[in-house]
Amino acid sequence: MLLSVNVFLWIYLIIINLYVFFIMYYDKSQAKKGGWRIPEHRILTAGIIGGGPAGLIGQQIFRHKSRKLKFYAAFILGSFVFCGILYLYFSYFS
């Protein structure tokens, strides 16, 4: 069974945001323990490709990467991507 585009968009947005939120939590907990960390480029990339809202929320909840301007900028850009995907959904698929 093929997923329709509108279902795929919703699944994509949910998964990418859950992923970003989880890696923000995991990276913060590893930073506290001195353990293996998530590479910054992975967090930045996931934030830019649509996980911006979860990244911004994760920064506030976990107090993680909140002083780094590049993370804030990436999450803002990712929030615009997120909004763009929602715009496409509501303009063309609803």
Side-chain angles (χ1 to χ4, degrees):
M1 177 176 102
L2 292 174
L3 289 176
S4 63
V5 174
N6 58 348
V7 172
F8 173 77
L9 290 175
W10 281 112
I11 291 171
Y12 173 77
L13 289 175
I14 291 167
I15 288 174
I16 194 66
N17 278 278
L18 287 173
Y19 176 71
V20 170
F21 192 78
F22 174 75
I23 62 176
M24 291 290 286
Y25 163 76
Y26 181 78
D27 195 54
K28 178 64 175 191
S29 66
Q30 290 297 95
K32 286 180 179 179
K33 291 190 277 186
W36 180 83
R37 304 281 304 276
I38 305 286
E40 285 190 348
H41 68 85
R42 184 170 296 163
I43 300 170
L44 290 167
T45 302
I48 289 170
I49 62 172
L56 291 170
I57 292 167
Q59 278 185 318
Q60 298 305 309
I61 290 175
F62 307 124
R63 303 227 185 268
H64 188 52
K65 305 286 188 190
S66 55
R67 293 187 198 169
K68 294 192 172 188
L69 183 59
K70 66 182 175 182
F71 281 90
Y72 183 71
F75 294 150
I76 292 293
L77 178 61
S79 294
F80 280 114
V81 171
F82 179 88
C83 290
I85 292 171
L86 287 180
Y87 174 78
L88 287 174
Y89 173 78
F90 287 112
S91 295
Y92 300 105
F93 301 112
S94 63

